[in-house]
Amino acid sequence: MEAFNIPATPSLMKEFLRQTGGTAVIDGGLATELERHGAELNDPLWSAKCLLTSPHLIRSVHLDYLEAGADIIITASYQATIQGFEAKGFSREQSESLLKKSVEIAIEARQMYYEGCSKSSSVGIGDGKVLKKRPILVAASVGSYGAYLADGSEYSGNYGDAMTVKALKEFHRRRVQVLAEAGPDLIAFETVPNKIEAQAYAELLEEEHLKIPAWFTFNSKDGINVVSGDSLHQCVSIAESCKQVVAVGINCTPPRFIHDLILAIKKVTTKPIAVYPNSGEMYDADRKEWVQNTGVKDEDFISYVSKWYEVGASLVGGCCRTTPNTIKAIYKTLSHRSPAAPKQKL
């Protein structure tokens, strides 16, 4: 992000939001879109499988979201772990290369988008696409330990009594190092289901002296606590006390809970608040599929967005089962609410 003079420091998000006019749009669901493009994801690696089989599809989905108005794109590394790749027979070196590849693909997509903007004669929305040179961040996704288990435990936060902060740090340490070294603008610790993993992430950031900011987003199934039942207040407090955490919020949570969760987070943090809910559909962990007709339609999802902005969210997007159409509608909604961003030179 050198072209927009956004520093890779704890001030990154505030400077980014200053340049975007106070609000920014996060991208939407990755796996759903990859499947729509023809990917087969019935695998413990989930969307990370495409790093092996079809990286061009990942790049296409990133571009779709940029052209829908996303200001932040999240890498296809949520389910990508060194341990997961090694279980598939890959060497440590190959596994680390695949992690780096997730960041490289997103950076390539951003560059392709900028080149497309330069070639376009239209400004703003042309041919249904948002073609607008603006600051764009690449966030390297780190899914929880539960995501690696691929048994749905990121939706329960139940890792058993034997799991410790130390063990979680060792599980994530090299993965976070590799992702940070690949050159993203920040690390997105997503779908954090419990306090113990939040503590592990915070300690890792400090121990490794990683010169890269991060955000923490938690998930909730009752609109009060994180999914494990741990106190949201305590989880957000961990993020608030970590200097490298530049935003905190909620993801992969039904839209109906977001309003009250933003209000609860505001009581604990002064950092920008990020929300990117899922479509509201229920996930069947045993069958490893989403339960049809349990979510909200795009128009209902979008009806919440202005309220989220009004009560304090400055970063808004979508998670599982949301699409570029969802993100374009968020872009249109927020662009009406945000003051004009100062013009920047590339």
Side-chain angles (χ1 to χ4, degrees):
M1 285 310 304
E2 294 87 352
F4 287 92
N5 299 313
I6 297 176
T9 67
S11 63
L12 171 135
M13 192 57 72
K14 288 183 179 178
E15 177 58 21
F16 173 69
L17 287 169
R18 186 189 71 78
Q19 293 193 20
T20 59
T23 61
V25 180
I26 303 169
D27 66 7
L30 180 63
T32 306
E33 286 304 293
L34 288 171
E35 288 177 328
R36 190 174 67 81
H37 280 274
E40 170 54 57
L41 302 182
N42 186 18
D43 189 279
L45 293 176
W46 199 37
S47 54
K49 180 184 177 185
C50 286
L51 294 169
L52 302 165
T53 59
S54 41
H56 63 287
L57 294 184
I58 299 172
R59 190 180 302 108
S60 293
V61 173
H62 286 323
L63 266 172
D64 287 346
Y65 279 119
L66 292 172
E67 291 172 349
D71 305 303
I72 302 172
I73 51 175
I74 301 174
T75 63
S77 51
Y78 176 81
Q79 204 108 349
T81 64
I82 293 169
Q83 297 88 337
F85 287 132
E86 288 181 334
K88 286 282 188 179
F90 292 92
S91 68
R92 173 60 61 100
E93 185 179 8
Q94 289 171 320
S95 301
E96 292 186 4
S97 177
L98 285 166
L99 277 174
K100 290 177 185 174
K101 192 174 182 181
S102 70
V103 177
E104 291 163 359
I105 291 168
I107 291 173
E108 287 169 12
R110 177 172 64 187
Q111 187 56 38
M112 288 171 67
Y113 176 78
Y114 281 150
E115 290 169 3
C117 290
S118 297
K119 293 174 185 174
S120 174
S121 58
S122 61
V123 178
I125 298 181
D127 300 325
K129 298 177 180 178
V130 177
L131 299 171
K132 179 182 173 186
K133 285 189 177 177
R134 61 193 186 278
I136 293 168
L137 299 181
V138 169
S141 172
V142 173
S144 67
Y145 175 69
Y148 154 73
L149 295 175
D151 61 359
S153 57
E154 77 259 49
Y155 302 116
S156 71
N158 181 12
Y159 294 168
D161 295 336
M163 183 52 68
T164 64
V165 170
K166 182 179 179 182
L168 285 169
K169 284 194 293 185
E170 293 317 303
F171 174 81
H172 288 294
R173 189 180 302 275
R174 184 58 188 153
R175 175 196 195 186
V176 171
Q177 289 171 338
V178 170
L179 286 170
E181 290 164 4
D185 298 296
L186 73 154
I187 303 282
F189 293 100
E190 304 186 278
T191 325
V192 185
N194 52 38
K195 187 171 70 172
I196 189 174
E197 198 146 30
Q199 188 63 46
Y201 290 149
E203 291 183 17
L204 255 188
L205 286 170
E206 291 173 8
E207 288 173 9
E208 293 302 315
H209 306 291
L210 297 174
K211 293 181 171 56
I212 185 168
W215 79 38
F216 286 10
T217 52
F218 302 91
N219 57 338
S220 173
K221 58 187 175 186
D222 62 5
I224 301 168
N225 300 305
V226 299
V227 291
S228 64
D230 288 344
S231 158
L232 178 65
H233 184 288
Q234 291 178 3
C235 289
V236 174
S237 294
I238 292 168
E240 174 67 8
S241 62
C242 184
K243 290 180 181 177
Q244 280 171 269
V245 174
V246 296
V248 63
I250 299 289
N251 78 295
C252 213
T253 294
R256 67 183 184 276
F257 292 142
I258 299 299
H259 180 279
D260 288 349
L261 290 167
I262 293 170
L263 294 177
I265 291 169
K266 274 178 68 176
K267 293 176 181 178
V268 188
T269 189
T270 57
K271 300 178 194 284
I273 296 174
V275 294
Y276 48 116
N278 57 35
S279 67
E281 289 175 75
M282 294 169 58
Y283 184 74
D284 186 326
D286 294 326
R287 298 177 66 180
K288 291 185 168 53
E289 62 183 33
W290 294 92
V291 181
Q292 294 296 315
N293 302 316
T294 55
V296 299
K297 296 178 180 178
D298 264 359
E299 54 265 34
D300 296 324
F301 187 104
I302 299 308
S303 70
Y304 290 108
V305 170
S306 290
K307 293 289 186 185
W308 297 338
Y309 169 75
E310 286 167 7
V311 296
S314 49
L315 303 152
V316 181
C319 199
C320 299
R321 312 292 279 179
T322 61
T323 70
N325 286 336
T326 319
I327 300 311
K328 187 178 292 182
I330 292 172
Y331 168 82
K332 289 178 179 178
T333 301
L334 291 182
S335 63
H336 292 316
R337 305 305 303 266
S338 303
K343 291 183 178 179
Q344 301 292 324
K345 292 182 179 179
L346 273 174

